[in-house]
Amino acid sequence: MARPYVCLLALAAVLLLGIATVSRSKGLRGKEHRRAPRIPSQFSQEERVAMKETLKVFPTVFKTSFIRHEAVGEYSHLFTVQGSDPSLQPYMLLAHIDVVPAPDEGWDVPPFSGLESDGFIYGRGTLDNKNSLMAILQALELLLIRNYIPRRSFFIALGHDEEVSGVNGAQKISALLQARGIQLAFIVDEGSFILDGFIPNLQKPFAMVSVSEKGAINLMLQVNMTPGHSSAPPKETSIGILAAAVSRLEQTPMPNMFGGGPLKMALQQLANEFPFPANIVLSNLWLFQPLVSRLMERNYITNALVRTTTALTMFNAGVKVNVIPPVAQATINFRIHPAQTVQEVLKLAKDIVADDRIQFHVLNAFDPLPVSPSDDQALGYQLLRQTIQSVFPEVNIVAPGTCIGNTDSRHYTNLTTGIYRFNPIYLQPQSFSSIHGINEKISVQAYETQVKFIFEFIQNADADPRPVPHLHEL
């Protein structure tokens, strides 16, 4: 995921927050569904060893007659798993192959070794996102070995360039499926986790399923001036002018947009889960909305939920210690709140800088993604909730959230309105920094549980024959 799995939240606030709880008794609209005999998600010792050590090439997946494999954009992969019931609309599971760089310095083991130590598998990508890639294929392999034939068709899309925007991977897979007339019931991609210990007032772990994703702008600011000798500097230099502009952007946050979407819905739905006085405050957001909004600004993560964020990520200027540089450049990364657009944020940035000497160059940009449904009729969301509560019985809180990072799933909005981002593993605050950081690792148990989750999810997706709402019209 581009930037550290920051799809963590539509949490509420560090002190006042709410999370949407769905009753275990409801199921998918409270109905019983026909299903084939279930295959228990119990694996032999040999299979468990194979999961973590052999990383085999999944021979059964590749030799099964109802599975088609294609290479897309040279390095990405698309698997089409043909189900036995063509009346059921297909879905898709996503993961990505590529990882961010990992210098050897600071790692306890070489970052691309995949070594196991003290019950953990170390290596770049163990959390972002080869864990999902391997778990999906491993779960399918284990189902096929047990002679499972899915009722509902599904796709597995493995992009090769998610960390650099997915243009040659996910985007080309999406175009290929659209050209074939494919419309999907839903998509499940990486994103949020089961969050444990992130919220001071919440003792229990909870599952966050992101139903939307922020937009982004990579904006380069540039100043051109006449070069000169440092012994006789002008009143203002290109570096000074640009530094002042960047400082204004950092010191002037984008407006607080709290007031709607998954975050407010979650707060209202779960107000009674919190003790007094938080329950009163969250039950009456019509009155206390400004208070909650201000509280969320106090923490850098929850602050990202209520506004477009501004991050200076690159600054380039100067060629020699005694030369006034002719050009200075800075790159700003904006993550756009779902209530705003690219054009709105760009105008705000220009108004804040307020200097005609600054040139604005949009390197790339895209608007926030629409909010996917999370109600009782949202098949993908409810299947995730059902599987979470089966595989993680200790987790009884499932919350819709907004992904504050960006994933490959944004390239598939032409195929479905049901896009959900969830990674079925626990994440604690101490392990959060290892994603895109040093000593990235996943426990062997967590990886086995992720395989178990996909193993059950595929079977759960076969159990509901109802027509799926919330679909694009063909």
Side-chain angles (χ1 to χ4, degrees):
M1 183 180 62
R3 301 314 306 160
Y5 262 117
V6 281
C7 295
L8 288 179
L9 307 156
L11 311 176
V14 169
L15 298 176
L16 294 172
L17 70 167
I19 307 146
T21 299
V22 183
S23 169
R24 287 176 180 272
S25 62
K26 280 189 176 181
L28 288 167
R29 303 192 70 190
K31 295 184 178 180
E32 295 294 328
H33 303 296
R34 292 188 299 107
R35 62 171 68 209
R38 294 215 35 114
I39 300 176
S41 53
Q42 298 172 349
F43 311 125
S44 68
Q45 180 63 27
E46 182 182 359
E47 289 172 328
R48 293 171 62 199
V49 168
M51 285 184 203
K52 67 175 183 176
E53 291 187 356
T54 60
L55 300 181
K56 60 188 177 180
V57 291
F58 312 110
T60 313
V61 171
F62 282 93
K63 72 180 182 182
T64 296
S65 61
F66 56 80
I67 297 179
R68 176 186 180 187
H69 168 252
E70 302 170 82
V72 181
E74 294 190 63
Y75 303 108
S76 290
H77 298 269
L78 175 64
F79 295 84
T80 302
V81 183
Q82 188 65 48
S84 61
D85 188 346
S87 70
L88 299 180
Q89 192 158 28
Y91 62 96
M92 184 156 65
L93 304 176
L94 300 185
H96 65 87
I97 302 167
D98 60 319
V99 298
V100 298
D104 290 340
E105 293 78 11
W107 284 73
D108 294 339
V109 301
F112 295 98
S113 64
L115 291 177
E116 181 186 346
S117 176
D118 297 325
F120 286 85
I121 302 171
Y122 283 75
R124 175 60 82 229
T126 49
L127 289 175
D128 182 12
N129 174 246
K130 291 189 176 181
N131 56 316
S132 294
L133 183 155
M134 299 301 295
I136 291 169
L137 294 176
Q138 183 71 72
L140 180 56
E141 177 82 6
L142 292 170
L143 281 168
L144 294 172
I145 288 172
R146 289 158 171 78
N147 299 314
Y148 188 79
I149 300 176
R151 289 180 60 211
R152 187 186 296 271
S153 298
F154 64 96
F155 298 90
I156 299 171
L158 308 177
H160 74 273
D161 61 345
E162 188 272 352
E163 298 289 358
V164 288
S165 81
V167 172
N168 293 310
Q171 190 167 302
K172 288 187 176 181
I173 294 174
S174 177
L176 177 64
L177 293 176
Q178 184 175 26
R180 293 174 178 173
I182 301 297
Q183 287 284 291
L184 301 170
F186 61 87
I187 286 172
V188 177
D189 195 6
E190 62 167 331
S192 299
F193 297 84
I194 296 174
L195 301 176
D196 185 16
F198 280 85
I199 313 304
N201 289 341
L202 189 65
Q203 301 301 315
K204 298 179 180 180
F206 63 94
M208 179 65 65
V209 178
S210 290
V211 296
S212 185
E213 187 172 298
K214 276 190 161 185
I217 304 175
N218 285 313
L219 181 66
M220 186 179 74
L221 276 55
Q222 180 171 314
V223 178
N224 296 321
M225 298 288 285
T226 302
H229 198 284
S230 62
S231 62
K235 181 179 180 180
E236 292 182 288
T237 65
S238 58
I239 293 177
I241 294 168
L242 185 58
V246 168
S247 178
R248 287 194 291 275
L249 284 171
E250 284 194 323
Q251 298 301 316
T252 312
M254 293 288 169
N256 189 317
M257 306 301 293
F258 178 68
L263 177 56
K264 185 173 183 179
M265 178 177 63
L267 290 170
Q268 292 171 326
Q269 288 176 351
L270 210 72
N272 292 332
E273 293 291 320
F274 294 87
F276 179 85
N279 59 337
I280 301 300
V281 171
L282 297 177
S283 296
N284 294 277
L285 286 176
W286 62 272
L287 177 61
F288 294 110
Q289 182 170 310
L291 171 63
V292 175
S293 176
R294 288 195 299 272
L295 287 170
M296 295 194 70
E297 293 181 329
R298 294 182 178 181
N299 177 273
Y300 75 102
I301 292 180
T302 54
N303 177 64
L305 298 174
V306 298
R307 61 164 38 91
T308 295
T309 54
T310 305
L312 173 63
T313 55
M314 298 175 67
F315 201 106
N316 300 301
V319 294
K320 198 171 183 290
V321 294
N322 61 348
V323 176
I324 302 297
V327 178
Q329 297 175 331
T331 302
I332 315 292
N333 177 254
F334 297 92
R335 296 300 175 99
I336 305 172
H337 188 277
Q340 293 181 301
T341 65
V342 167
Q343 292 304 316
E344 289 170 347
V345 171
L346 189 58
K347 183 180 186 304
L348 283 168
K350 290 181 178 180
D351 290 344
I352 292 169
V353 169
D355 190 333
D356 291 339
R357 295 171 297 180
I358 307 290
Q359 300 174 19
F360 285 73
H361 302 282
V362 177
L363 303 180
N364 51 65
F366 53 90
D367 286 321
L369 268 66
V371 177
S372 296
S374 58
D375 56 23
D376 287 348
Q377 298 184 56
L379 178 60
Y381 188 89
Q382 293 302 329
L383 285 171
L384 283 170
R385 182 198 59 78
Q386 174 187 346
T387 311
I388 289 167
Q389 293 177 342
S390 171
V391 177
F392 303 97
E394 72 281 9
V395 175
N396 56 18
I397 298 174
V398 179
T402 298
C403 185
I404 59 177
N406 298 126
T407 69
D408 266 347
S409 65
R410 63 188 173 88
H411 294 294
Y412 295 96
T413 55
N414 56 331
L415 303 180
T416 182
T417 58
I419 298 178
Y420 305 99
R421 304 153 192 87
F422 179 70
N423 206 336
I425 59 177
Y426 273 76
L427 189 71
Q428 291 83 22
Q430 61 269 26
S431 59
F432 175 67
S433 61
S434 75
I435 303 171
H436 284 204
I438 295 172
N439 284 330
E440 184 179 354
K441 62 184 182 294
I442 187 172
S443 73
V444 173
Q445 181 180 4
Y447 177 64
E448 290 177 359
T449 303
Q450 188 164 9
V451 173
K452 174 184 173 73
F453 185 93
I454 302 300
F455 189 94
E456 291 197 13
F457 184 86
I458 292 172
Q459 294 185 78
N460 288 339
D462 284 345
D464 182 32
R466 295 178 295 112
V468 181
H470 306 294
L471 297 173
H472 287 301
E473 296 295 329
L474 289 175

